[in-house]
Amino acid sequence: DSGVTQTPKHLITATGQRVTLRCSPRSGDLSVYWYQQSLDQGLQFLIQYYNGEERAKGNILERFSAQQFPDLHSELNLSSLELGDSALYFCASSVEDLYQETQYFGPGTRLLVL
Amino acid sequence: AQSVAQPEDQVNVAEGNPLTVKCTYSVSGNPYLFWYVQYPNRGLQFLLKYITGDNLVKGSYGFEAEFNKSQTSFHLKKPSALVSDSALYFCAVTLNGYNKLIFGAGTRLAVHP
């Protein structure tokens, strides 16, 4: 158990809908990262927050957004969902905002868009 | 562009034999290299990382990896494979200024009794 928690574990929804994925980082970690794992794209970085501020953006669609709250938990919002958004979404956390730090991953949220 | 390659989709090993999972990278600058393992329906678990210093890095569950700058490789090894090592293994890299992990496509390791 990495100490990173994600809810829900599974999510089934329809095209055009909006969902929110939640992540609680390890105790003491200030940095939160979101990744998407899909069969065709593999594991891809979406976005990073550090102590409430957006720090880096990757291949994140405009329909997707995220935020990190004062208690350091983070939410990833996915809207106008399409079939291709079906994937496993991981949250990871690290203590600081340094490239050499280990990122610890949560168990993921499996999203299925029908 | 920065990239990581895992040339083998699957590696098959008999239990008790040594295993190697290959990883090569292409980056501009000094890489920081990581190995993660993913068991079915589980998240990614950190195994080991290379930042600087000794090229041979030891990690969790008896795994080790060797950083080879001239060959731009970071192969994962274990002297004696266990059936329980069967999983999906990912190599990843970060760079100074790039906090995100850039992952390889993954290699499925199957250890047969």
Side-chain angles (χ1 to χ4, degrees):
Chain A
D1 184 4
S2 68
V4 179
T5 60
Q6 290 186 248
T7 56
K9 286 187 179 179
H10 303 276
L11 204 46
I12 302 175
T13 188
T15 54
Q17 295 298 305
R18 173 189 168 95
V19 297
T20 297
L21 313 183
R22 183 188 168 101
C23 167
S24 293
R26 296 185 318 158
S27 178
D29 284 3
L30 299 176
S31 203
V32 168
Y33 310 77
W34 286 97
Y35 292 85
Q36 180 195 58
Q37 184 179 30
S38 62
L39 284 176
D40 54 345
Q41 299 286 337
L43 266 162
Q44 291 208 57
F45 167 76
L46 295 178
I47 197 164
Q48 178 206 358
Y49 279 81
Y50 174 73
N51 205 19
E53 300 287 330
E54 182 183 303
R55 192 56 65 100
K57 253 185 176 179
N59 298 324
I60 188 166
L61 299 170
E62 285 192 12
R63 301 183 284 108
F64 296 1
S65 65
Q67 54 184 326
Q68 187 179 26
F69 295 86
D71 67 352
L72 301 177
H73 91 271
S74 178
E75 292 181 356
L76 179 67
N77 300 297
L78 315 177
S79 62
S80 302
L81 285 167
E82 302 175 0
L83 296 178
D85 297 327
S86 296
L88 192 49
Y89 291 85
F90 286 112
C91 167
S93 72
S94 64
V95 177
E96 288 289 341
D97 178 28
L98 301 172
Y99 52 90
Q100 65 265 47
E101 282 201 71
T102 300
Q103 295 179 26
Y104 293 93
F105 283 74
T109 293
R110 188 171 295 278
L111 173 66
L112 181 59
V113 182
L114 300 175
Chain B
Q2 331 293 350
S3 65
V4 175
Q6 294 182 242
E8 301 154 318
D9 290 338
Q10 179 149 336
V11 170
N12 296 297
V13 177
E15 188 174 30
N17 282 1
L19 69 88
T20 298
V21 183
K22 295 180 181 177
C23 172
T24 60
Y25 61 90
S26 175
V27 301
S28 53
N30 291 320
Y32 299 88
L33 295 149
F34 299 76
W35 276 101
Y36 286 84
V37 59
Q38 184 178 25
Y39 295 98
N41 301 314
R42 301 278 293 276
L44 281 79
Q45 294 181 32
F46 169 72
L47 281 179
L48 51 79
K49 69 180 178 184
Y50 171 81
I51 301 298
T52 187
D54 193 347
N55 289 344
L56 184 63
V57 179
K58 294 189 183 296
S60 307
Y61 313 119
F63 285 94
E64 58 188 31
E66 185 165 13
F67 172 66
N68 188 317
K69 189 171 183 177
S70 62
Q71 297 187 6
T72 62
S73 67
F74 189 55
H75 300 331
L76 181 70
K77 300 181 180 184
K78 187 173 182 181
S80 179
L82 299 172
V83 173
S84 57
D85 292 330
S86 299
L88 189 55
Y89 289 80
F90 289 96
C91 181
V93 66
T94 64
L95 298 167
N96 190 2
Y98 293 86
N99 292 0
K100 63 179 182 180
L101 286 164
I102 300 167
F103 284 92
T107 298
R108 189 163 300 281
L109 173 67
V111 182
H112 305 283

